[in-house]
Every structure is written in C-alpha cells, then in structure tokens.
Amino acid sequence: MTALGAIALLLGAASLATGSQALGAVALCVTAAFVWMAVQTRRSPAAPPTRVEPCPRETAEDRPPDRPDVQDRVRVPPTTKAMPLLKALSDAVAGRGLDAVAAHLWLIDEQSATLRCVASCGPMRPPERPVPIDDGVLGQPVRGSAALGEIARVQSREGESLVWRFAVPLERAAETPGAVAVDVVQPSKPDAAVLQETVSPFLPALAAALAVCVAQHQLEDAQTVLAVARDMSRLLDPDAVITTALDRAMAIADASTGSVMLYDERAGVLSIARSVGLPPSALETTLRPGEGIAGWVFSTRQPLLVEDLPERSRRPARHGVRSSVCVPIADEDDVLGVLNVGAPAYVARFTKSHLATLELIGRQTAIALRNAQAAQRVRSLFFDSLQALVAALETKDPTAQGGTERVLEYSLAIAAELGVKDDDLDALRIAALLHDLGMVATGADFRSTGRVLTTVERGLLKAHPRIAAEMLADLPAMRAAVPIVYHHHERYDGSGYLDGIAGEDIPLGARILAVADAFVAMTSPRPYRAPLSLQAALQELKSKAGTQFDPVVVRALVTVVQGQDERAPDTGTR
C-alpha cells in the first residue's frame, strides 16, 4: 500500500511537469485506489483472538540438546509482591525477542461478572477500569484456557504495528481466581508457544501474589469496618449515624451517589433519609417493601450488586445510576432500611468484596441507629420530665408561669445564632430550665416583690445560683449545666456575682442565659409594673451591652427578635 502511494505521487508530479492529461488521469485513479485501501485498512476489525490451550511442559528427555530449559533462562523473583513479578515477566518476554509493552494481573470477580486489574507495569499498561468477562482475550482465562489476540494498532515512523495480548489463567484457588496477561507490539502474530513457555514459570508465584493482594484488601476492609463501628458506637444522634454510615460507605466503594432509605411503619414505605449526588427529583422517592431494588433488598434482607448489561448501555439510567450496591440496614431483630451506593458508569468498580464490606456496615448501622434512637427517646423523656417539673413549681406563682419556658426558647434561639451545638446545647437547655432552682429551694423567690429587699433577702437572692449549682452537681446527668447556672448572674464588666469574673472568662452558656433571662423578665408582667415592649426591652439590653451583658449575645438576641420573628416566642407585646 505504501508503494502504491509513492507511485501516485510520481505520476502526479510527471503530469504537472509535462502537462499531460493522460498522466493526470492515471495519477488520479491510482490516488483513489490508495485512499480506498487506506480506508478499508482502518475499518478492518481486529483479528479474532486465537485460543491457545496450555502447552504441555517438556521433560529433559524431550528437549533438544541445543536448547536449554526455559527455567534456566527465566528468573522468577522469590517474592509474593505483584509488581516485581510482573516486571520480571515483562523482561523475560523481552528476552525472547518480543517488544513487551505491558504485563498485568487480574482478579476474576464472578459476582459482578468482571475482571479487575490488581497490578500492571509497562509503558502501555491497560486502564484500571473493570473489564467484562466476555472480553475477547481476557475473557478466555475465565473459561479456563489461554488466548492470543490482536487488541490495537499503533502508528509510528517505521509504519503500522499491532498490539497483541496473551492471557493465561492462574492456578485457580477457591477464593482468588485470576489471570495474567502480556501485551507485545510487532507487525505479525507472535508465537503463542513461546509466550506460553515464558509465562508458565511465573504462574504459581503470580497466583500467590494475587491471593496475598486479596488478603490485604480483606484486612483493610475489616479494619475499615471496625473503625466505622467504633465511630458510630459513640454517636447518639440518629442523623449523625445515618450521615456517618453513608459517607463511609461511599468512600469505601468510591461511589459517586448514595442514599439511606428508612422504613416508615405508619406509611408502610421506604423513604430517603439522606442522599448524596442524587437530583432533587429523587429525594421524594418512596418504595413499598418488595418494590424495586431497594424494596427487594428490604424484603429479603439480602444484599444485591447490580450492573447494567452492555447491550442495555443506551437505556436511560435511573437518576444517572447504572451500577449500584444495595445492602439491608438490619440486625438480628429486624430490618430498618437499606443503604445504597451507585456509579453512573458501566462497568463500575463494585466487587464482591465491596458487597461483603457494605453488608457489614449495614449491620453496624442498624445497631448504632437503634442505640441512637433509644438514647434520643431517653433524652426526650428526660427533658420532658424537667419541663413538667418546672411547670409544676411555677404554679405557686401565677405571674411566673411560662417564664422558664420562654427563657429556654430564647436561650436556644440565641445559641442557634451563635452556633452552639451538641453537648453544650444540652447543658444550656438544662441550665435554662433549672437556673432558678435555688430560689425554690430556699423560698427566696422575690420576683413578685415590688419593695426594697432586706439584707437577708438580698443575701438569699445572691445565694440562689450557688445553691442550684450544688444541687445539680450531685446529679451526673446535669453536671455539665453547673458552670452555666453558677455564673449566670456574672456581669460582662466583672461587677456581678458569684465570683466577679468578666468577659469571656464567663462561660458562653451563662452569658446567653443572662441575656435571655433579663429579656424575659423585662417583657413579663409583674404585680408592681406592666411588661416592657419587645423593642423597649431590646433597647435596654443594648444600653447595657459591654457592661452587664456580652455585646455579641445581645446582637444575637436582636437578630432573633427582629430578623427571625418566627423563632421568637410570642409574648403578646410589641
């Protein structure tokens, strides 16, 4: 074909030099023939792979005396690491006069019907994406035979060459079936017998390397599951459990999408509690048990790995997901929901190992979720009981009824503005409910008294934070609230009580409670005065910011009242 192109160029040049139309016509015909042959060459498919049954090993008696044993020419490194073995294999193939451009080790994952590249070396190593087991060359070792086939064509200054792949099954172990392949570049098909002879000495060592690699991955998976279980066992918030489980599952599977669906017993459906990477339209999805992939996994309590078939590759993917793993969130008692991770590509990287690891995470999630839900119920019961106790104590003073509840609401609203969370928020909640417990205990509640207090009464009034703090300190569940209760009458400039501390030395919870308590007191009616309007009370707080109150906390309360009225309790005054 190259000669035909040269002839076309010579004829074209001659026609231009002589002005001969006949030569020009001939040159045109030859050029057209050259172009047609080039197009046909480009369009011609790669030659089908040649299946090669494993060659029988020669004995010393069968080998010609002038040809040494292949074991004498090939050195197999004494290691179970894949990379040194593959590099040695590539060198051995090159030593037989072949241009080896890649050597690679593959794990056969029957669960997903794919081969997964475990290790590779060489300038033309294959991409690490999974390969379907029906691949023309790599698919043959899955069925127990070697194969040699053309996989690509390369163009260089010397002309066109072909890339040939020789793939051989490893010694099939119970849990680690695999294959090894060598890619060589040359114009014509290499001798399969030479390749078989060169590769064979490496097969036992490569099978061991594959088994070690799989064992290492299993160890890493086990360590990951233990870390997830340890982290989730510390969580007492159901939302935090769900978030942690989904984030860890997506990281393990290298997934681009994921969701947790929980079962609603009242509605009888599975609904999405948390998702990542899914479109907004998917968030309203609900499924009944047995419906769809998630419904089937929920009903059967069996994990499922789903890969779209290649011939269905043009079918629109559901929410952009074409490969997914779905596992039940279940323990020995019951199933709570399902955990899904997905990828938009076929073939994805999900394997049988991913399926087993995610199934364990599903079990740990169920245990952690039950513990968190139980803790949440206990926590709700605890705070409901405190609120009921406070409401009962306030019945002694009709003017004080509802005041503590309002202090709690404003305290939590301010805390939300300032980003207070978790344990600190719970401590503030307890302190807001019980900060005046010392007054009740001593009978020194003078909120309804309009007269000037006596010295004894002022002493009892100033002692109530200490008394309340000492009472709470004896209760382990309430000790975190002790500093807030003890210091909630400190002043920002240091002129308050009990310890006269100032600024940020005062616990943040105490600074918040001081502002909320003062605001509620000013906007509540008393027998000796009418309540202030909200704006008048805010103005009073602003005037005391920096002396009596923390300016940052005061600004947060202003935001709550003026900018977020829906979060501020309605007192009926403006």
Side-chain angles (χ1 to χ4, degrees), residues 102 119 162 552 569:
L162 304 178
V552 174

Side-chain angles (χ1 to χ4, degrees), residues 389-522:
L389 172 63
V390 170
L393 294 175
E394 287 182 340
T395 58
K396 296 181 179 180
D397 182 1
T399 63
Q401 289 183 12
T404 302
E405 186 69 26
R406 291 180 60 215
V407 171
L408 172 63
E409 292 180 18
Y410 278 115
S411 296
L412 296 182
I414 295 170
E417 285 295 322
L418 299 178
V420 179
K421 296 179 180 179
D422 304 329
D423 292 343
D424 292 336
L425 193 62
D426 283 345
L428 177 60
R429 186 189 298 268
I430 295 171
L433 287 170
L434 301 177
H435 65 284
D436 282 338
L437 185 62
M439 288 188 180
V440 178
T442 61
D445 190 350
F446 305 110
R447 286 174 291 190
S448 300
T449 302
R451 60 178 173 79
V452 177
L453 300 180
T454 66
T455 302
V456 174
E457 288 172 338
R458 283 198 299 270
L460 289 173
L461 183 64
K462 288 188 174 183
H464 85 271
R466 185 191 306 276
I467 295 170
E470 290 174 353
M471 294 173 66
L472 297 180
D474 292 333
L475 304 173
M478 301 185 186
R479 284 175 186 163
V482 169
I484 301 175
V485 171
Y486 185 86
H487 292 293
H488 79 277
H489 278 292
E490 304 285 0
R491 295 170 63 101
Y492 197 70
D493 61 4
S495 62
Y497 60 91
L498 294 164
D499 291 348
I501 56 177
E504 295 190 0
D505 289 339
I506 306 170
L508 176 59
R511 285 178 270 152
I512 292 173
L513 181 56
V515 171
D517 191 23
F519 183 71
V520 170
M522 287 187 286

